[in-house]
């Protein structure tokens, strides 16, 4: 079976985790929540620091959540999140979504948030997710779509950011415009019962603008993404600093507004 070939673009710098730890089931998995039942057994793929995982565990108090990530180092933070919230129905493990170490028909729900944009073979990944889902269960996937992100006011620096990010992500083996492709990938993976939808994150208040622009300004010059941009020949240090400055300048604008579009699929496995 194939293994992961893509390189995770962001890494786990503080500026990345600043975003990841903000995520909740409410703001990142609302399309799934009505399908959850208290007894369900869930596999949460690409759990990161575990904030969505913890929410899912609270929503299935009579069930269980297995949370996995390809990066072993982040699992310690995920475990700490679960411990802080007093959760006993969750466990963590290292896993590759292309080759899940679980039997067929194991989980009621297999969930992945912002994962398929970073993997080498998203269709293979979906087939694996389908394999380990019980008949009558759900595969739930949500991914951002970078080309569909939009903002105001216009900024050449942010245009440069978007162009650079998409080039770096694709050089790493991923697909940054994954959101629009989820339904197509699910069809290619053999799914037949697919509910496709979309939702957004929007940053418009002074606090939201400062947070969003600040984390991207820092990520552009200090994270693994910055290293991959320079080491891959996609940008110089000076160009990265210019993009970082553009983010901060945009964030100071009172009229600034940013929206992140996500594609979503909720796929039911025939009973």
């Amino acid at each position: 079976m194939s293994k992961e070939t893509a390189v995770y673009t962001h890494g786990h710098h503080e500026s990345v985790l600043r975003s990841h730890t903000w995520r909740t089931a409410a703001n990142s998995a609302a399309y799934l929540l009505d399908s959850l039942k208290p007894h369900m057994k869930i596999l949460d793929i690409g759990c990161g620091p575990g904030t969505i995982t913890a929410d899912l565990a609270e929503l299935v108090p009579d069930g269980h959540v297995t949370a996995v990530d390809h990066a072993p180092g982040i699992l310690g933070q995920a475990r700490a999140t679960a411990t802080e919230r007093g959760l006993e129905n969750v466990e963590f493990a290292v896993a590759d979504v292309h080759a899940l170490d679980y039997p067929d028909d194991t989980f009621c729900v297999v969930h992945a948030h912002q994962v398929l944009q970073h993997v080498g073979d998203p269709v293979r990944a979906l087939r694996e997710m389908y394999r380990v889902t019980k008949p009558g269960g759900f595969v739930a996937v949500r991914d951002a779509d970078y080309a569909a992100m939009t903002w105001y006011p216009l900024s050449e620096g942010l245009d440069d950011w978007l162009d650079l990010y998409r080039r770096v992500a694709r050089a790493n083996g991923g697909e940054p415009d994954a959101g629009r492709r989820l339904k197509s990938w699910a069809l290619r993976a053999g799914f037949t019962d697919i509910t496709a939808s979309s939702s957004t994150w929007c940053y418009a208040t002074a606090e939201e603008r400062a947070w969003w622009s600040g984390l991207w300004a820092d990520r552009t010059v200090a994270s693994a993404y910055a290293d991959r941009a320079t080491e891959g020949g996609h940008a110089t240090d000076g160009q990265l600093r210019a993009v970082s400055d553009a983010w901060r300048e945009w964030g100071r604008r009172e009229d600034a507004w940013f929206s992140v579009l996500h594609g979503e699929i909720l796929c039911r496995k025939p009973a």
Side-chain angles (χ1 to χ4, degrees), residues 115-131:
V115 172
L116 293 192
Q117 63 185 279
H118 297 296
V119 306
D121 190 342
V123 174
R124 164 71 80 171
L126 283 166
R127 287 176 182 147
E128 269 294 272
M129 294 169 72
Y130 185 87
R131 179 185 66 78

Side-chain angles (χ1 to χ4, degrees), residues 1-4 41-47 66-71 92-112 115-116 119 121-134 138-141 191 269:
M1 185 172 288
S2 64
K3 297 288 186 178
E4 179 61 85
K41 187 175 182 181
I42 299 175
L43 176 63
D44 187 23
I45 296 173
C47 66
T66 300
V68 300
D69 202 283
H70 195 248
F92 300 90
V94 176
D96 180 351
V97 68
H98 297 92
L100 295 169
D101 191 22
Y102 301 103
D104 296 356
D105 306 336
T106 299
F107 300 96
C108 305
V109 175
V110 179
H111 168 263
V115 172
L116 293 192
V119 306
D121 190 342
V123 174
R124 164 71 80 171
L126 283 166
R127 287 176 182 147
E128 269 294 272
M129 294 169 72
Y130 185 87
R131 179 185 66 78
V132 301
T133 301
K134 293 180 178 180
F138 297 93
V139 172
V141 178
F191 292 17
K269 187 171 182 177

Side-chain angles (χ1 to χ4, degrees), residues 104-185:
D104 296 356
D105 306 336
T106 299
F107 300 96
C108 305
V109 175
V110 179
H111 168 263
H113 184 262
Q114 311 289 32
V115 172
L116 293 192
Q117 63 185 279
H118 297 296
V119 306
D121 190 342
V123 174
R124 164 71 80 171
L126 283 166
R127 287 176 182 147
E128 269 294 272
M129 294 169 72
Y130 185 87
R131 179 185 66 78
V132 301
T133 301
K134 293 180 178 180
F138 297 93
V139 172
V141 178
R142 184 175 191 255
D143 269 275
D145 192 299
Y146 276 76
M149 294 184 187
T150 188
W151 58 84
Y152 186 85
L154 299 179
S155 164
E156 289 186 9
L158 265 62
D159 288 342
D160 292 340
W161 159 76
L162 181 58
D163 173 70
L164 174 62
Y165 179 83
R166 292 171 77 213
R167 286 189 283 115
V168 172
R170 288 192 170 122
N172 286 339
E175 175 45 71
D177 305 340
R180 68 188 65 191
R181 291 172 164 83
L182 295 182
K183 182 180 179 182
S184 175
W185 287 340

